[in-house]
Amino acid sequence: MRPRDLHRYLNDVGWADSPVPPEGPPAVRNAGTQSAAGTLDVLRESAEGCGLCRLSEKRRSVVFGEGHSDAPLMFVGEAPGAEEDRTGRPFVGQAGKLLDAMIFAMGFDRSGVYIANVVKCRPPGNRDPEEDEMAACAEFLDRQIELIKPRVLVALGKPASHRLTGTAKAMGALRGRWASYRGIPLMPVFHPAYLLRQPKLKREAWADLKLVMERLESASTD
């Protein structure tokens, strides 16, 4: 895996001046574990009928997740936003464009990784998900991780990092430091939406992603 240069990011997201990968649904890949893909489809159907918490009451879509069922790398965000609720896909707004660029710079595209959220329905006003909402959705996320079996997990932002690390530390204390979730190496990274508001922190985020790439490279040679 050869990471692409960080400086190939778009100017409009503050990284550099070459185009990000084209927008649109991820390409279909034939490789992967068919049994895992099939079980993910069953799990998706279960999530689409879920009414375990208040977030189900006003949702337009259940944003289950997307990507390769045998992905070596899995990103976990906090919750869908308005655009995600409209389309049913995770990370498709401005933060999603930046995440696409981050994934591209790491040498992947969306079809080669898996992207999900801690909760599958949009919280009102795009607020952070609450503890009982994350607990209601926990089985869906845990089962996704169990089926995909990523070599590395990346937690995007504070709610996802708190959920997966089991701590309430500030992101400044979590990012750049390896944790573990169910035996899988876990790296907390600033959320793309936060990086759009605080572009000076993109250098730190890139440093964390380089640690992820190094761990993936090491895992691939074991």
Side-chain angles (χ1 to χ4, degrees), residues 198-216:
Q198 300 287 339
K200 64 183 180 182
L201 295 176
K202 290 176 179 176
R203 185 177 298 276
E204 284 85 349
W206 179 241
D208 299 342
L209 294 178
K210 287 196 291 185
L211 293 174
V212 171
M213 289 186 287
E214 289 171 4
R215 179 63 66 94
L216 284 170

Side-chain angles (χ1 to χ4, degrees), residues 45-56:
E45 291 177 7
S46 178
E48 288 172 349
C50 178
L52 290 175
C53 80
R54 67 184 73 87
L55 297 184
S56 66

Side-chain angles (χ1 to χ4, degrees), residues 45-205:
E45 291 177 7
S46 178
E48 288 172 349
C50 178
L52 290 175
C53 80
R54 67 184 73 87
L55 297 184
S56 66
E57 297 171 2
K58 295 185 178 181
R59 70 184 178 218
R60 296 177 64 182
S61 303
V62 170
V63 184
F64 179 73
E66 70 179 28
H68 200 286
S69 62
D70 194 30
L73 178 60
M74 182 173 176
F75 293 87
V76 180
E78 56 196 54
E83 189 66 13
E84 289 77 14
D85 186 43
R86 184 184 69 81
T87 63
R89 298 181 60 217
F91 283 91
V92 293
Q94 288 302 310
K97 291 180 180 179
L98 180 52
L99 179 60
D100 284 351
M102 294 161 70
I103 293 169
F104 183 72
M106 296 176 75
F108 291 95
D109 56 35
R110 282 180 73 113
S111 67
V113 302
Y114 199 90
I115 305 171
N117 283 303
V118 169
V119 299
K120 311 305 184 189
C121 302
R122 181 194 179 196
N126 290 349
R127 63 164 170 76
D128 289 347
E130 297 180 357
E131 288 295 330
D132 62 326
E133 295 161 352
M134 291 191 287
C137 244
E139 186 173 347
F140 291 116
L141 177 62
D142 288 345
R143 186 66 173 137
Q144 283 175 303
I145 294 170
E146 179 184 343
L147 289 167
I148 294 161
K149 299 180 177 66
R151 295 188 187 123
V152 177
L153 284 163
V154 173
L156 297 169
K158 185 167 64 175
S161 295
H162 286 178
R163 160 75 171 82
L164 295 178
T165 65
T167 73
K169 294 180 180 179
M171 277 302 296
L174 291 173
R175 62 141 297 260
R177 295 171 174 83
W178 285 106
S180 177
Y181 186 73
R182 297 194 167 194
I184 301 172
L186 167 69
M187 176 59 69
V189 176
F190 290 122
H191 195 284
Y194 185 67
L195 293 175
L196 290 174
R197 299 192 300 269
Q198 300 287 339
K200 64 183 180 182
L201 295 176
K202 290 176 179 176
R203 185 177 298 276
E204 284 85 349

